[in-house]
Amino acid sequence: MSLDTDSPPGRPTDRFNNWLRHDLPASFVVFLVALPLSLGIAVASDAPIAAGLIAAVVGGVVVGLLGGSPLQVSGPAAGLTVVVAETISKFGWKTACFITVAAGALQILFGLSRIARAALAIAPVVVHAMLAGIGITIALQQLHVLLGGSSHSTAFQNIVQLPGELTSLHGNDLLIGSVVIAVMLGWKYMPGKLRVLPGPLVAVVAGTLLSLVVPGTVERIVLSGSLFDAIGLPEIPSGGWGAVALAVLTIALIASVESLLSAVAVDKMHTGPRTNFDKELMAQGAANMTSGLLGGLPVTGVIVRSATNVQAGARTRASAFLHGIWILVFSVALVAVVQQIPKSALAGLLIVVGIQLVKTAHIKLAHRTGDLLVYVVTVLGVVFLNLLEGVLVGLVLAFALLLWRVVKVVIVAGPVEGADNWLISVDGTCTFLALPKLSKELVKVPAGADVLIEMSVDFLDHAAYEAIHDWARQHETTGGRVDFVELGTVPMADAVTGPPVRGHARNLLDDVLRPWRKGEDGNPVTAGVAEYHRRHAHVVRPHLDELRDGQNPHSLFLTCADSRIVPNVITNTGPGDLFTVRNVGNLVPPQGRDSSIEAALSFALDELQVDHVVVCGHSSCGAMNALLADPPSGPGLGAWLRNAAPSLDRFRRGHPVAFAAARAGFGVPDQLAMVNVAVQLETLSAHPVVRRAIHERGVALSGLFFDIGTARVLEVRPDGIAEIDDADLSAELAAAMS
C-alpha cells in the first residue's frame, strides 16, 4: 500500500520533497524517543528485551503501511504492561505471543464489523483512571529495580516489601536511576536548542555513561544475539481455554481503546486528514498478529510517540513507517550498544513514564465534573485487583452514577413568600422512582391551600403522572385549588396517550413557533391562549412585571403585516425591546399621507427615544407580487400600494440592490422587496422627525430582508445586500441593538 494515502494532492515530486523535508527528520526524532521506551516497556512487562524492539519495528512498519490515522505512531505501550506481565506469568512467554496473535485477529474483526467508534463510548474518566492505575503500578514495580532489587507480582507486595528493599539498596543502581529521573524531569527547563534532542534518549544515554565510570558492578540488559535470533513462533496453549479467551479479549479491548483514544487526541493536534477508525483498528490488529507471530509484545497507538511525531513536523504516515525501519537497523547493527544500558536506567525512565500517566489535569477535571469517586475507585481497582477488574468496577460505578443523574428529580414544596398559596416545583426526570420523594413533599401542603405545581420535566411516566393527579383531585376535595404550569419539554397529557418518551428542546421550540391548531371550540386563538397560560405565561410573567409601569424599547421595527414574520424571533429580542409597526408591504407613505405612521414615528422617536429604526421586508411578499401585477387588484389595495410606486420605479431603472439580489439568486419579486426596503429607508431619512433624531441623538437606520424559506436574515444596504454573519457587521449590529 502506498505511503502517500493521506498526503495532500500534488505531483509525485512534491510528495517526495514533502517526505524529505518533513517526514524523514520527524522519523529520526520519533525513533530516538521510541527506542528507550520500547526497551523499558519490555522490562516492565517481564518479557524478553528483544520483544519490545520487535513490537516497535512491527508497529512502525505495519501500521505505517496500513493505518487509518495519518500521524499516529504505534508500538509497545505502557498501558498494556500490567496485563501483559500477568499473561506471561500465567501462561508463559510463547503462549502470551499466541494470545497477542488472537487479540490482533479479534481487532481485525472489530474493524470489519465497523464498531471501532463504539470503543470510544467508554467514559473518559475510566480511561484516565485506568492509565493512572497503570502508571502507579509501573512506578511501584520499577522502584524496586531502581533500588537494586526485583519487582513483586502484586502492587500490595511491592508496597509491603518496599521498607525491606530500602534497607538493602544498591547505591550504584539508585544513583544511575536518580540521574535518569532528574534528566527526564528537568529536560523541559533546558535551553531550546538542547531540547531538540529527546529527553528520554538523553536520560538513558547519561545513565549508561555514568554506569561505565562508577565503581562496582551494575546489572545491564541482556540481549542474546541480534533481533533476528529472537524471532520465534508462538505456542498454542494445551488447555485452560476460558482463561486464554479472557486474556485475548482483555488485550484486544485495551489495545483497541488505547489506540482509538490516542488517534482522537492526535487528530486534535494537527489540521490534516482525519482518522479512519475502522481502518486504523484493522491495521492495529494486523500489527498485533505480526508481532505475536514474530515473538513481539502487543502493539497499540502510543500518544507519547504520536505527539512527538506531530511536534517534529511529520505530514504523512511515512514518518511512522521510517521510524520502524530505523529501530530495525539499530537493533540488528548495534546490539552491543543496547547491552550497555543498565536496568536501573530503564527503571528510572519507566518511573517517570508511570508518574506522567497520573495527570493532575485529569484529576481536576474529574473533581469539577463530579466523577472523582469513579476516578479513585478505578485507580484503586487497577492497582490492587487487576487491570480488567479495575476497569469493570469503574465502568459499573460510572454507569450507576450516570443512571442516578439521569433519573434524578428535584421536588420542592413550600409556601410562596408574601402570598397565601403554595408552590410545588418538579424538575428533572419524574418516574416511579420519584414517588417516595414526591409523596414526602406533597404531604407538606396544608388542606385547603391554593397550589401551583410547576412541572419542569424532560421525562414523565404514567406512575408519576397518576400520583400527581390523584393527589390534586384529593386536595381539591378539601377546598383547595390546584393549577399546573408546564415549563418542561414533555406535556403531561402525553403520559396517558402512549409509552413515556424523553422530551427535546426542539419539540418545546416547535410548540412555541408552529402555527396554532384549532381547539375544541373551533377558535385557534382561544386554544392558543389556553396553551400559553398552561405552558408559558409563568415564564414571561416576571419579565413583564418589570414592564408594568412603562416601556423602553431600543428600536422601532417597521415590517410587513405578513403572518409569517415574527419580529422578536428573527431579532432574538423579547418583550419591551421592539416598538413594532406593521402594514402591508412595510411602507412609509410620504409625510402627511398616513396618520398612523406619523403617530408611530413621533411616539417612538420623541417620546420613547428609541436609538434605532429598522425596516424589514421579506421573501414571497404578496404586496410586491401585487405591485408587479400592474395595476394591483383588490379593493383598497391599489390605493395603498401607490405608496410603493417609487420602489417599483427605482427597481425598473436598475437599483444596485436589485443587481446584488439577482446575483445572489433571488427572483424578481424578492429583488423588488429588497429595493423597497432601501427606498423606505431613504423616505425615512428625509422625514423631519427622523432627520432631527439622527442629527440630535445619532439614531441609526438599517434595513433587513427575511428569506422565509431559509429562515435567513440579510442586511439591505443602499448599494447592495450583505450577510449578517460578517464580523464587522455583527459587531455593528450588536452595538446598535445593545
Side-chain angles (χ1 to χ4, degrees):
M1 183 174 291
S2 172
L3 287 172
D4 64 347
T5 304
D6 300 308
S7 62
R11 296 173 299 175
T13 304
D14 295 335
R15 291 197 294 268
F16 177 77
N17 290 336
N18 206 35
W19 291 346
L20 199 62
R21 291 178 55 197
H22 301 287
D23 293 320
L24 182 61
S27 70
F28 278 115
V29 176
V30 178
F31 153 68
L32 294 174
V33 171
L35 181 65
L37 290 177
S38 300
L39 295 171
I41 289 166
V43 171
S45 303
D46 291 331
I49 297 298
L53 298 174
I54 291 172
V57 173
V58 170
V61 172
V62 175
V63 183
L65 284 172
L66 306 176
S69 180
L71 299 182
Q72 176 158 267
V73 182
S74 300
L80 276 170
T81 52
V82 175
V83 70
V84 171
E86 291 178 356
T87 303
I88 295 172
S89 174
K90 188 171 184 178
F91 300 102
W93 170 242
K94 291 291 186 180
T95 302
C97 290
F98 171 83
I99 290 172
T100 300
V101 174
L106 188 57
Q107 285 183 286
I108 292 176
L109 291 178
F110 288 162
L112 290 173
S113 59
R114 300 190 179 279
I115 63 169
R117 288 184 181 272
L120 301 178
I122 295 176
V125 66
V126 175
V127 177
H128 297 159
M130 177 192 76
L131 294 174
I134 291 169
I136 293 171
T137 303
I138 292 172
L140 287 173
Q141 288 176 341
Q142 297 306 310
L143 188 57
H144 287 269
V145 179
L146 181 73
L147 298 174
S150 57
S151 61
H152 300 275
S153 57
T154 66
F156 181 76
Q157 285 296 320
N158 281 321
I159 294 173
V160 170
Q161 299 296 329
L162 190 57
E165 200 74 68
L166 289 170
T167 61
S168 60
L169 59 85
H170 294 70
N172 287 346
D173 291 318
L174 178 60
L175 175 63
I176 293 167
S178 299
V179 167
V180 170
I181 292 173
V183 173
M184 287 279 290
L185 296 178
W187 195 247
K188 62 182 178 182
Y189 302 109
M190 292 294 168
K193 292 182 179 179
L194 282 178
R195 288 205 309 271
V196 173
L197 295 171
L201 179 70
V202 174
V204 172
V205 169
T208 302
L209 293 176
L210 180 61
S211 72
L212 297 175
V213 298
V214 295
T217 59
V218 174
E219 191 175 358
R220 303 180 188 277
I221 288 175
V222 177
L223 212 85
S224 301
S226 73
L227 192 66
F228 296 119
D229 297 329
I231 293 175
L233 292 174
E235 184 177 287
I236 299 176
S238 57
W241 285 100
V244 170
L246 182 60
V248 169
L249 181 62
T250 302
I251 290 177
L253 287 176
I254 295 173
S256 299
V257 171
E258 186 168 349
S259 297
L260 295 174
L261 291 176
S262 174
V264 170
V266 173
D267 279 350
K268 295 178 181 179
M269 297 178 186
H270 66 91
T271 58
R274 305 291 91 182
T275 296
N276 180 328
F277 291 102
D278 295 306
K279 184 179 178 182
E280 178 67 16
L281 195 53
M282 287 188 285
Q284 295 291 338
N288 274 317
M289 290 188 71
T290 306
S291 183
L293 286 170
L294 296 177
L297 287 170
V299 169
T300 75
V302 186
I303 188 61
V304 175
R305 304 177 198 191
S306 303
T308 302
N309 194 38
V310 174
Q311 293 164 3
R315 298 292 178 85
T316 72
R317 292 199 308 270
S319 175
F321 173 83
L322 290 172
H323 115 277
I325 298 298
W326 307 143
I327 292 177
L328 176 61
V329 171
F330 181 90
S331 304
V332 172
L334 298 171
V335 174
V337 175
V338 174
Q339 295 187 113
Q340 295 300 317
I341 300 174
K343 286 187 176 181
S344 56
L346 293 180
L349 172 69
L350 287 167
I351 288 172
V352 175
V353 170
I355 292 172
Q356 289 176 341
L357 288 176
V358 185
K359 298 187 181 297
T360 55
H362 292 163
I363 298 173
K364 291 178 180 178
L365 178 62
H367 182 264
R368 287 198 305 270
T369 57
D371 295 323
L372 188 59
L373 178 62
V374 177
Y375 185 93
V376 172
V377 169
T378 305
V379 169
L380 294 176
V382 170
V383 172
F384 292 106
L385 298 175
N386 59 50
L387 192 141
L388 181 60
E389 291 177 2
V391 169
L392 288 176
V393 169
L395 287 175
V396 169
L397 183 58
F399 181 76
L401 183 60
L402 172 66
L403 184 63
W404 179 77
R405 288 170 174 170
V406 168
V407 302
K408 182 181 179 182
V409 61
V410 177
I411 304 172
V412 180
V416 178
E417 186 176 352
D420 296 330
N421 60 317
W422 276 60
L423 174 66
I424 301 173
S425 62
V426 183
D427 189 2
T429 299
C430 195
T431 68
F432 65 91
L433 297 174
L435 295 184
K437 183 184 294 186
L438 184 63
S439 175
K440 176 184 175 182
E441 293 298 317
L442 292 178
V443 78
K444 295 179 181 178
V445 182
D450 290 340
V451 180
L452 180 66
I453 300 180
E454 186 180 87
M455 300 292 293
S456 302
V457 297
D458 57 4
F459 187 91
L460 179 69
D461 70 2
H462 181 262
Y465 169 87
E466 191 174 73
I468 294 171
H469 274 267
D470 285 349
W471 177 86
R473 284 195 297 268
Q474 177 64 30
H475 184 73
E476 287 176 341
T477 63
T478 68
R481 176 181 174 181
V482 179
D483 292 318
F484 289 91
V485 174
E486 298 187 54
L487 307 178
T489 56
V490 177
M492 293 184 70
D494 289 355
V496 293
T497 59
V501 295
R502 186 168 295 279
H504 301 284
R506 174 62 183 271
N507 297 336
L508 183 62
L509 191 62
D510 286 344
D511 287 342
V512 175
L513 297 181
R514 69 185 176 194
W516 287 343
R517 292 171 291 185
K518 290 185 178 181
E520 294 180 0
D521 59 357
N523 187 335
V525 174
T526 302
V529 170
E531 183 78 0
Y532 160 75
H533 284 153
R534 187 170 69 89
R535 296 180 63 82
H536 309 305
H538 189 68
V539 179
V540 300
R541 188 175 294 123
H543 304 288
L544 292 175
D545 185 59
E546 298 175 1
L547 301 171
R548 68 167 67 218
D549 297 324
Q551 59 174 318
N552 185 30
H554 55 63
S555 299
L556 165 63
F557 198 89
L558 173 64
T559 190
C560 185
D562 193 292
S563 63
R564 297 166 292 180
I565 312 301
V566 188
N568 290 107
V569 171
I570 66 174
T571 59
N572 195 33
T573 52
D577 290 334
L578 301 180
F579 184 80
T580 305
V581 178
R582 305 184 72 143
N583 61 43
V584 175
N586 44 271
L587 301 177
V588 181
Q591 184 181 5
R593 188 177 293 181
D594 186 271
S595 58
S596 108
I597 291 292
E598 297 294 327
L601 288 174
S602 296
F603 188 69
L605 290 165
D606 294 338
E607 298 295 328
L608 300 178
Q609 297 283 296
V610 298
D611 300 317
H612 204 73
V613 177
V614 182
V615 178
C616 181
H618 65 94
S619 62
S620 303
C621 181
M624 297 302 105
N625 283 316
L627 193 62
L628 289 168
D630 197 24
S633 59
L637 184 61
W640 172 253
L641 288 182
R642 279 199 294 272
N643 295 312
S647 299
L648 181 61
D649 178 63
R650 298 283 296 278
F651 170 73
R652 287 173 171 168
R653 287 193 287 122
H655 196 284
V657 169
F659 288 122
R663 285 196 301 270
F666 288 96
V668 170
D670 292 347
Q671 295 173 30
L672 175 58
M674 294 186 197
V675 171
N676 180 57
V677 170
V679 172
Q680 303 313 311
L681 289 174
E682 292 177 6
T683 304
L684 280 171
S685 63
H687 193 285
V689 173
V690 179
R691 189 170 62 247
R692 184 175 63 252
I694 292 173
H695 290 314
E696 293 179 358
R697 296 192 295 109
V699 169
L701 272 63
S702 62
L704 301 177
F705 178 83
F706 180 55
D707 185 19
I708 294 172
T710 64
R712 185 177 52 155
V713 182
L714 303 173
E715 186 194 24
V716 178
R717 296 174 175 175
D719 58 348
I721 59 177
E723 294 279 357
I724 298 293
D725 294 334
D726 289 348
D728 55 344
L729 180 59
S730 296
E732 176 186 333
L733 287 180
M737 291 291 194
S738 62

